[in-house]
Amino acid sequence: MAVALDRIRVGSAPDSWGVWFPDDPQQVPWQRFLDEVAEAGYSWIELGPYGYLPTDPARLADEVKKRDLKVSAGTIFCGLHRGPSEWESTWEQVSRVASLTRAMDAKHLVVIPSFWRDDKTAEILEPPELSTEQWGHLAKGMERLGREVRDTYGLDIVVHPHADTHIDTEEHVERFLDSTDSSLVNLCLDTGHYAYCGGDSVKLIETYGERIGYLHLKQVDPDILADVVAGGIPFGPAVQRGVMCEPPAGVPELGAVLTAAQKLDVDLFAIVEQDMYPCEPDKPLPIAVRTRTFLRSCGA
């Protein structure tokens, strides 16, 4: 029998419905996402890309409440490794997303580093490795972000290691954690992205447990991933090939990840995110139902 994972709060996100952009004709309407995520048995959701769900706090609060849903986090992207010149544009984005996140009584802001190559065209936008100076900018910028988001909005930032960004591999993730203050900056561990980049989620939880502030549950298909790595394929086309697969078909084994997270003895969100943009509109709901059933079998 599975161990009861009573410190883990499971949810899902627009990403699992093929939503990557605020407005895109290939995506399901937001009303359908909310209806189906509730139907699939989830209680918690993320906001997804800002502008996909209603941005008027009163309207959004009404829409989620009538479906018995609650919001766990908002999401922003930023390129703070470029130095202080990035702060103003970053904060402009943060202020919109964080204010809506706070209005939904959520406590987390997921921060995704900017991509070093375009996820559609594969154009190299920046070198994939940061200089020592850029690592310094990144660490100091994230600490400032953590401090000011907490002071202004009462939210905790959780930085999301992500394929095709500068915080991706085990080496880069550990360097980032070792160079930032744990009182200001913690991690959103996305199990799929970390596996995509060669990392071991259980090992990371066991080694840096005090820095794990949030989880995204995701799996990769190891055969497709091997082709992606061999071909140097960027993340967007890799997703279209199905590299992020339905649990429990891929890696890492989510039961082991959740058990390791439970041992931390802190309350953690574990938000299902199965990247599959674009996808047929009828595809997400059956997958979401099966995934929720699978996570219950793990004790979540």
Side-chain angles (χ1 to χ4, degrees), residues 175-188:
R175 180 171 181 172
F176 177 71
L177 290 174
D178 290 344
S179 60
T180 49
D181 184 340
S182 62
S183 70
L184 298 172
V185 179
N186 286 305
L187 215 61
C188 168

Side-chain angles (χ1 to χ4, degrees), residues 103-146:
M104 295 302 105
D105 291 327
K107 303 299 182 190
H108 294 90
L109 187 67
V110 177
V111 179
I112 301 178
S114 57
F115 285 35
W116 56 261
R117 66 176 167 186
D118 190 284
D119 65 336
K120 285 186 174 179
T121 68
E123 178 191 357
I124 304 297
L125 306 172
E126 298 182 72
E129 292 287 336
L130 296 179
S131 67
T132 300
E133 181 183 32
Q134 288 174 319
W135 272 110
H137 287 321
L138 179 63
K140 293 301 180 189
M142 287 294 191
E143 288 177 339
R144 180 183 179 188
L145 188 64

Side-chain angles (χ1 to χ4, degrees), residues 156-198:
D156 291 329
I157 70 164
V158 282
V159 178
H160 181 323
H162 196 292
D164 289 359
T165 76
H166 296 106
I167 307 177
D168 50 1
T169 62
E170 179 179 325
E171 178 188 358
H172 287 165
V173 169
E174 291 186 353
R175 180 171 181 172
F176 177 71
L177 290 174
D178 290 344
S179 60
T180 49
D181 184 340
S182 62
S183 70
L184 298 172
V185 179
N186 286 305
L187 215 61
C188 168
L189 171 57
D190 185 304
T191 61
H193 279 279
Y194 200 51
Y196 185 104
C197 298

